[in-house]
Amino acid sequence: MNVLLSGDFGADERARWQRALAAVIPEARWLDEAGARTQPDVVQAAVVANPPPGSLQGLPRLRLIQSLWAGVDRLLADTTLPAGVPVARMVDPAMNAAMGETALWAVLSLHRGFFEYAQRQREARWQVHAQRRADEVRVLVLGQGQMGRAAARCIAQQGYAVTSWRRDGTPLPPLLGRAQIAINLLPLTPDTRGLLDAAFFAALPPGASVVNLARGAHVVDADLLAALASGHLHHAVLDVFHTEPLPPEHPFWRHPGVTVLPHAAALTDPRSAATVAAANLRAALAGQPVAHLVSRSVGY
Ligand code: GLV
């Protein structure tokens, strides 16, 4: 089996993936982008993590594009992606678990005011605030995919009042009106781009907080900053941004009402993800059904 491994990896990261994949697919020969360009007709499958645009075209025997990322918005934005080749996104149980942990950390921190206590420590200020119970905190999770479900499960297990929403389900504004914390775990598609805008924030009750663990382009940054500045929103926890790394001059970095993570809410874990990729590569080459196929028209 000849497989192209392509992505925006650093050298260490590529070596880590290569080791993890070779351990579970010992029969594979791995090519990088340059190798695939010199021998395009041997490549049977591609394992990719934000591959350079154009790197998957002109491979006549390609049977599967397996993403190492859960979100395939950047991959699908490559207009040279070969039309007839199936694309599978990564569904990694370890990644789902990590997303549940991050969502729970954000909810706990917002509920108990731990972000404020961290701020007060920087000011050497000893001040206790009121303590609510978890079941008094209403959390809305946007997205009912792998990540959304994992997050909702983790939070509900701690006693929070959790509601989930999917784009083709019930109307969103009434649910927003009751949410004290809204967590975004939607896929990025033309329908969800910019969903977290001024109207979205206005529909939340005063004092609500927002957690974005999906994609930066879901949020209209200027509208979020305005909602924080007016005091309507209490806090935002942001893991993802329009430009990554977040530019040093971006106001989110130093905003007291914003907690920034470096797109680290849930990393793909090579140990478990390699096994998932291996099963799909073998299935594709044997003509068997492949798991977690992406619908290109739907966008995830
Ligand atoms: C991370 O954001 C991913 O899509 O895997």
Side-chain angles (χ1 to χ4, degrees):
M1 177 189 312
N2 293 308
V3 188
L4 164 63
L5 176 61
S6 175
D8 59 354
F9 311 112
D12 285 0
E13 203 186 352
R14 173 178 283 274
R16 204 163 50 245
W17 276 108
Q18 184 92 48
R19 269 197 308 278
L21 288 161
V24 288
I25 326 176
E27 72 273 28
R29 187 163 75 91
W30 298 93
L31 293 93
D32 61 11
E33 292 87 354
R37 264 195 308 278
T38 46
Q39 292 178 280
D41 19 285
V42 305
V43 179
Q44 294 163 288
V47 174
V48 301
N50 289 331
S55 56
L56 297 166
Q57 66 183 340
L59 304 172
R61 293 178 62 206
L62 192 64
R63 302 271 286 277
L64 175 68
I65 299 167
Q66 171 67 56
S67 174
L68 294 177
W69 281 55
V72 287
D73 43 290
R74 263 173 71 183
L75 184 60
L76 297 189
D78 178 355
T79 52
T80 69
L81 205 64
V85 182
V87 176
R89 68 204 155 78
M90 179 47 63
V91 174
D92 169 13
M95 192 182 193
N96 293 347
M99 189 58 89
E101 291 161 3
T102 303
L104 178 59
W105 158 81
V107 168
L108 270 169
S109 305
L110 292 165
H111 155 215
R112 295 291 309 280
F114 293 137
F115 295 129
E116 282 80 52
Y117 284 137
Q119 180 68 34
R120 286 175 200 168
Q121 178 179 354
R122 284 191 284 276
E123 298 159 5
R125 193 147 59 96
W126 184 280
Q127 188 190 347
V128 177
H129 49 231
Q131 182 179 295
R132 285 175 298 165
R133 295 193 318 236
D135 63 3
E136 296 170 316
V137 180
R138 292 184 306 278
V139 182
L140 173 65
V141 178
L142 307 173
Q144 292 179 358
Q146 297 282 333
M147 304 282 173
R149 290 204 306 271
R153 203 166 41 240
C154 255
I155 299 162
Q157 272 165 2
Q158 295 306 315
Y160 292 97
V162 182
T163 307
S164 300
W165 178 80
R166 53 183 294 148
R167 203 181 48 79
D168 52 3
T170 52
L172 183 56
L175 297 182
L176 288 175
R178 290 193 289 276
Q180 292 157 316
I181 300 173
I183 304 182
N184 177 36
L185 278 164
L186 289 165
L188 181 65
T189 68
D191 289 324
T192 63
R193 184 175 290 272
L195 181 76
L196 279 68
D197 62 0
F200 179 101
F201 301 131
L204 290 165
S209 293
V210 167
V211 181
N212 187 20
L213 306 178
R215 286 292 182 262
H218 282 125
V219 174
V220 179
D221 288 0
D223 291 0
L224 175 58
L225 287 166
L228 288 163
S230 71
H232 180 70
L233 278 191
H234 173 63
H235 200 93
V237 178
L238 306 175
D239 180 52
V240 284
F241 304 92
H242 285 264
T243 304
E244 295 181 5
L246 183 64
E249 66 283 2
H250 198 289
F252 286 156
W253 276 117
R254 283 164 205 87
H255 196 299
V258 177
T259 298
V260 168
L261 296 177
H263 201 142
L267 307 181
T268 316
D269 184 328
R271 293 162 299 182
S272 43
T275 311
V276 174
N280 255 359
L281 294 185
R282 291 202 177 101
L285 297 196
Q288 305 287 325
V290 166
H292 312 302
L293 279 181
V294 167
S295 158
R296 296 209 198 181
S297 56
V298 179
Y300 58 92

